[in-house]
Amino acid sequence: MTGRVRDLVLALLLAALAAAAGLGAHALLVDVRTPEPTVIGDRVQRAADAFAAGDHVYVAADAHDLLPPDAAARLEELAAGSEVPVRVAVWEDSTDAGYRGIWDAVGQLQRVADDEGVFVLYTGPGDGVVDDNLEGPLEGDIPSDFNGDPERRLSEIVTAVAASSEGPASDWSYWGGTGGAIAAGLLYGGVAIPVLLLVIGLVRLALGRRFRMVGGWT
Amino acid sequence: MTDADTVESIAAALRDDPVLVHELLGNGRTDEVHDALSGLVEDLADQGVPAYVALVQTPDADLPSSADDAGDTLLRLIHQELGEPGLYVVATQDTLTAVATYDVPLDATSISLGRYDAVQAARDDLPEGEFVPAAGEAAVLLSVAADDDLSLTPGEVDDLMDSGPWVAAYGDEPMSYELDDARGEPETPLVFAVAFALVALVVGWRLLRARTAWAGGATSEPRTRRARPDGPLPRPRTPPQPRIDTTRKQARKLLAALRREVDGSLQPVTDEVHGSLEAAEDLVDSESRIEVVAALVLAEQGAGRLRGDELPVRCYFDPRHGPTQRRVVVSDVSLPACGACAEAVAADVPPASLTTDDGKRPYWRADSIWAATGLGSLDPDLWRLVAERQR
């Protein structure tokens, strides 16, 4: 094996290692930038467990006065018939139940349920939230207020969800797809190379060596 | 299952278990809160004070609209229904945490005052966004009641807060767009991988080529000396470079003397002496500067062999520099060198090497018997290689 071939093999090996390091650096960056998830309390966990067991409607033990069992059963039937997955959680409003606000609770529900769908959280007349974690946009007119009779309003919301559809997921890509990502990587790398060589040269100067390394590019 | 949501059902539950905690006041850890409060209730019971704690949803009852009054009213109703003496602590999501004592030697007002001081001390240590929930306040009330002075020191408050689920530290659940932003585009890892790989490939290649060049001729990388505060940069001393005709003349003179000695010798002359002499005679009139230098080396080595002296060894870098004075290590190889070349190597400056006939590179970088033997400085069999080459 000539020196040139050996160097080429080593350089390719280095490139492979660097590619892995690049993936690691990206993962590290994502870790650093990703906000810490909150701790899931028992209230959200019970609702998520019920959804995981196949229920579409979960009524907490303190909320049967809000949505009686027969109403919950009717709502369950309605939600089960929806093509767009919909989950309804009902509980009494509280500041001491393991989450900061209603949006935090519904966010936790989506995270723990680990399932795509529309999530409705109802905490009493006038208080509730509809949110979804669908891949595509929810196309439909979903009521956003929770005023009026709980069963009637929740039924209207679930009916609206059932009448809606999930639009196509956006295929927009910041990098313009795989080819664009490769081109961007080459561009960034191309900019970084002279900078790195300049740094190496400056370090060599600082160490009392010549700016240029011996040998050449061939 | 439905939580107790009437005064009667709450009292009935307390009759079975003096601690009743509904999920909506359970701080996200209802069972843990229940168990920890039960421990504090048992501590009080050991002091002869029964206690009842109800952290419950607002029941169907006729309660005042004021949160303070509603809590006190609900507590009174629960006590009336339960009918037991003791310390009562009651809270709902709509009321403040109420405390009262019935037929026990404890003053509820003092306990409540002790509670406010302790909760304030606990709040002072909490980061923004965290607070003492109803469960924590109930724990404070039970602990104050168990204290002889009906008050807790800041240290005792800290210990209490650390001992159980008494602080609400919920935090903000990241929104989906925040998570998407943090994750970035799906192709972003590919951008990182390609950029890193390209940089490593190109810069690595350049570094490896430099390393190879360095290994192939360790002295080929000149260093600049650090500038001294005064005076110009010192330059290594370069030995005088004799003209080729001078070298040839010197070689001829040595060869003539050697020929005379060999021809006049009465003793048998060894093959090495004959070989050195004849190889030198073949080379001395060459047009090649290196071969003339080799003739000089061989003539000198032949003379040394004839006299039985130690084989003379000249400077590896250029035999014209003269005999070896020191050995230097270059790329882990020990080389004989004249004083000037040794000094140059030590200073990491390229020694003044004899170049190939085209003058483009040091002779020792060429593929030749001269490079292989260091012009006789590394291999004493230079004469034999020359003879084989001539054949």
Side-chain angles (χ1 to χ4, degrees):
Chain A
M1 186 184 285
T2 66
R4 192 170 283 111
V5 173
R6 182 199 60 210
D7 287 349
L8 181 61
V9 170
L10 286 174
L12 288 171
L13 193 62
L14 268 177
L17 289 173
L23 293 175
H26 177 262
L28 192 64
L29 188 67
V30 168
D31 276 353
V32 169
R33 296 192 327 182
T34 302
E36 281 286 316
T38 52
V39 176
I40 304 295
D42 49 12
R43 165 159 280 202
V44 169
Q45 188 63 56
R46 283 197 182 107
D49 290 346
F51 294 152
D55 291 348
H56 295 82
V57 176
Y58 168 78
V59 181
D62 53 61
H64 290 298
D65 54 339
L66 285 176
L67 195 68
D70 53 341
R74 288 191 291 273
L75 196 61
E76 171 71 36
E77 193 176 342
L78 199 58
S82 172
E83 274 195 32
V84 176
V86 57
R87 310 273 187 273
V88 181
V90 180
W91 60 54
E92 286 276 358
D93 187 28
S94 172
T95 58
D96 290 16
Y99 52 85
R100 182 164 283 173
I102 195 167
W103 281 97
D104 296 296
V106 81
Q108 289 181 341
L109 264 178
Q110 291 176 20
R111 173 158 60 90
V112 182
D114 196 24
D115 195 14
E116 286 187 16
V118 178
F119 289 79
V120 181
L121 176 54
Y122 180 76
T123 60
D127 287 326
V129 61
V130 181
D131 194 21
D132 74 82
N133 58 355
L134 298 167
E135 189 80 14
L138 183 62
E139 294 177 341
D141 189 14
I142 314 297
S144 58
D145 73 83
F146 289 81
N147 296 319
D149 176 70
E151 182 189 359
R152 182 173 177 180
R153 195 53 177 157
L154 287 171
S155 297
E156 288 169 351
I157 291 171
V158 170
T159 302
V161 171
S164 67
S165 59
E166 182 183 355
S170 169
D171 59 355
W172 183 84
S173 163
Y174 179 81
W175 301 111
T178 303
I182 292 172
L186 293 173
L187 183 66
Y188 286 133
V191 170
I193 287 167
V195 174
L196 187 54
L197 289 173
L198 178 67
V199 170
I200 291 173
L202 293 175
V203 169
R204 287 172 58 80
L205 280 179
L207 295 174
R209 291 169 170 262
R210 273 190 176 180
F211 181 80
R212 285 192 61 183
M213 287 179 277
V214 291
W217 286 97
T218 55
Chain B
M1 189 181 130
T2 303
D3 283 340
D5 59 355
T6 61
V7 170
E8 293 76 16
S9 58
I10 291 170
L14 289 174
R15 201 164 282 120
D16 292 338
D17 182 344
V19 176
L20 176 61
V21 181
H22 284 173
E23 183 184 271
L24 85 168
L25 290 182
N27 199 18
R29 301 147 73 179
T30 307
D31 292 341
E32 204 179 331
V33 165
H34 174 273
D35 293 346
L37 287 175
S38 296
L40 293 171
V41 166
E42 284 170 17
D43 290 346
L44 264 179
D46 290 345
Q47 297 179 28
V49 179
Y52 298 92
V53 180
L55 307 181
V56 294
Q57 66 169 316
T58 306
D60 289 333
D62 188 16
L63 300 175
S65 58
S66 156
D68 202 356
D69 294 345
D72 290 337
T73 302
L74 177 61
L75 186 151
R76 194 166 55 251
L77 292 173
I78 291 173
H79 168 252
Q80 282 175 359
E81 184 66 28
L82 190 59
E84 297 289 342
L87 171 75
Y88 283 69
V89 176
V90 173
T92 74
Q93 77 271 30
D94 301 317
T95 68
L96 300 178
T97 305
V99 60
T101 54
Y102 297 96
D103 303 324
V104 291
L106 287 175
D107 176 35
T109 303
S110 299
I111 294 172
S112 187
L113 288 173
R115 173 259 306 263
Y116 286 125
D117 290 341
V119 168
Q120 187 57 50
R123 284 181 186 143
D124 289 344
D125 293 337
L126 293 179
E128 191 177 342
E130 297 184 8
F131 63 97
V132 179
E137 213 164 325
V140 167
L141 283 165
L142 293 171
S143 299
V144 168
D147 187 84
D148 292 339
D149 300 329
L150 299 182
S151 66
L152 299 178
T153 65
E156 289 171 331
V157 172
D158 288 345
D159 291 344
L160 176 65
M161 291 297 123
D162 291 342
S163 67
W166 309 133
V167 173
Y170 301 147
D172 292 321
E173 175 71 8
M175 305 296 279
S176 59
Y177 73 86
E178 292 177 295
L179 296 174
D180 289 344
D181 282 351
R183 272 193 293 270
E185 292 290 313
E187 294 95 355
T188 302
L190 181 60
V191 176
F192 271 70
V194 170
F196 274 59
L198 178 66
V199 171
L201 181 67
V202 175
V203 177
W205 168 257
R206 182 66 186 88
L207 290 170
L208 287 164
R209 293 310 294 159
R211 188 189 68 96
T212 302
W214 174 261
T219 54
S220 65
E221 183 176 22
R223 267 184 178 174
T224 54
R225 285 180 178 271
R226 288 176 192 277
R228 291 184 179 175
D230 51 355
L233 291 174
R235 295 179 66 83
R237 182 168 59 85
T238 305
Q241 304 293 320
R243 289 164 53 86
I244 190 64
D245 291 342
T246 308
T247 306
R248 195 191 310 275
K249 194 182 289 180
Q250 193 182 356
R252 279 181 179 152
K253 194 174 169 185
L254 276 173
L255 274 174
L258 180 57
R259 172 57 73 183
R260 278 197 301 277
E261 284 190 61
V262 167
D263 290 347
S265 174
L266 298 176
Q267 301 295 325
V269 176
T270 61
D271 288 346
E272 284 86 353
V273 175
H274 268 299
S276 299
L277 174 61
E278 288 170 2
E281 286 174 340
D282 286 343
L283 297 173
V284 73
D285 292 322
S286 169
E287 291 298 311
S288 162
R289 184 175 43 164
I290 292 182
E291 291 187 357
V292 175
V293 173
L296 174 66
V297 169
L298 288 166
E300 188 177 62
Q301 289 187 345
R305 284 178 165 126
L306 183 65
R307 289 194 297 272
D309 294 343
E310 190 177 342
L311 194 68
V313 176
R314 285 180 170 249
C315 177
Y316 166 83
F317 298 99
D318 188 342
R320 297 174 297 172
H321 292 171
T324 296
Q325 292 185 7
R326 272 184 276 164
R327 295 193 74 83
V328 295
V329 175
V330 178
S331 299
D332 296 330
V333 178
S334 174
L335 300 171
C338 66
C341 288
E343 186 184 330
V345 171
D348 228 357
V349 173
S353 289
L354 176 65
T355 58
T356 51
D357 287 330
D358 58 11
K360 288 185 177 173
R361 52 184 171 165
Y363 82 91
W364 40 262
R365 298 200 69 176
D367 183 16
S368 65
I369 59 171
W370 319 124
T373 61
L375 270 168
S377 65
L378 302 178
D379 186 351
D381 282 347
L382 174 62
W383 68 272
R384 200 187 303 276
L385 295 172
V386 172
E388 286 172 358
R389 194 185 70 151
Q390 303 293 57
R391 283 200 291 268

